[in-house]
Amino acid sequence: DADVTQTPRNRITKTGKRIMLECSQTKGHDRMYWYRQDPGLGLQLIYYSFDVKDINKGEISDGYSVSRQAQAKFSLSLESAIPNQTALYFCATSAAGRGTGELFFGEGSRLTVL
Amino acid sequence: KNQVEQSPQSLIILEGKNCTLQCNYTVSPFSNLRWYKQDTGRGPVSLTIMTFSENTKSNGRYTATLDADTKQSSLHITASQLSDSASYICVVSALGNNAGNMLTFGGGTRLMVKP
């Protein structure tokens, strides 16, 4: 089983619909992240959480919200999806402390908004 | 503004040939630079990390170099295999915080190895 699991892997939806992407991890890491990847662009940070009671906006948080339900679970919501939110979304984890900062990614959730 | 630029954007080589991918960065103060490999439809996986004091590091057929003075890194792939077909992403961390919220990502180089 993957250490970082994302569901769904693929979703097609219509403009205005609410969508939730879920992420769960078995690595025991405190830090979790949601990134967005568009073709030819670097990964962009949407939201991040350093523990269950901690939620922080990333560089492109508008139109998104998150929930950290437990240490192992971090979900991303699009309250009213729009076509320019069509992208590949990645959940990632990292260990706390002054480590090397390696990110461990899920396999991605491809979202298409029509 | 911190930036990471990778070149080329895409590259096609024949199986067995060598290739070199480039990464230029303006992240300051520099902490470390990591290369990730992203197979199609998968999440990125770390290949190697370079810290300020390291010039060269190898991981099998992958060799990364770092020139902290010119703020450049390269990833050299020797004797390419079909399984090397992937995107390679350069990620730079600023000093003092290695968390995922303080990373700058390059746009990646898409490598295709043909038989």
Side-chain angles (χ1 to χ4, degrees), chain A residues 9 31 33 35 37 40-43 45 48 50 90 98-103 105-107, chain B residues 9 32 34 36 38 41-44 46 49 89 96-101 103 105-107:
Chain A
R9 294 291 314 278
R31 298 177 174 182
Y33 313 86
Y35 289 94
Q37 186 176 44
L41 298 179
L43 284 149
L45 182 63
Y48 64 99
F50 282 0
F90 285 101
R98 288 183 174 270
T100 61
E102 181 176 0
L103 292 172
F105 288 88
E107 299 204 335
Chain B
Q9 282 192 322
N32 63 66
R34 195 180 289 272
Y36 285 83
Q38 183 178 15
R42 309 293 295 271
S46 178
I49 180 173
I89 302 171
N97 189 337
N98 283 316
N101 60 311
L103 304 177
F105 290 80

Side-chain angles (χ1 to χ4, degrees), chain B residues 10-23:
Chain B
S10 61
L11 182 63
I12 301 174
I13 62 173
L14 293 175
E15 186 178 12
K17 298 296 186 181
N18 303 335
C19 67
T20 300
L21 314 181
Q22 300 289 345
C23 173

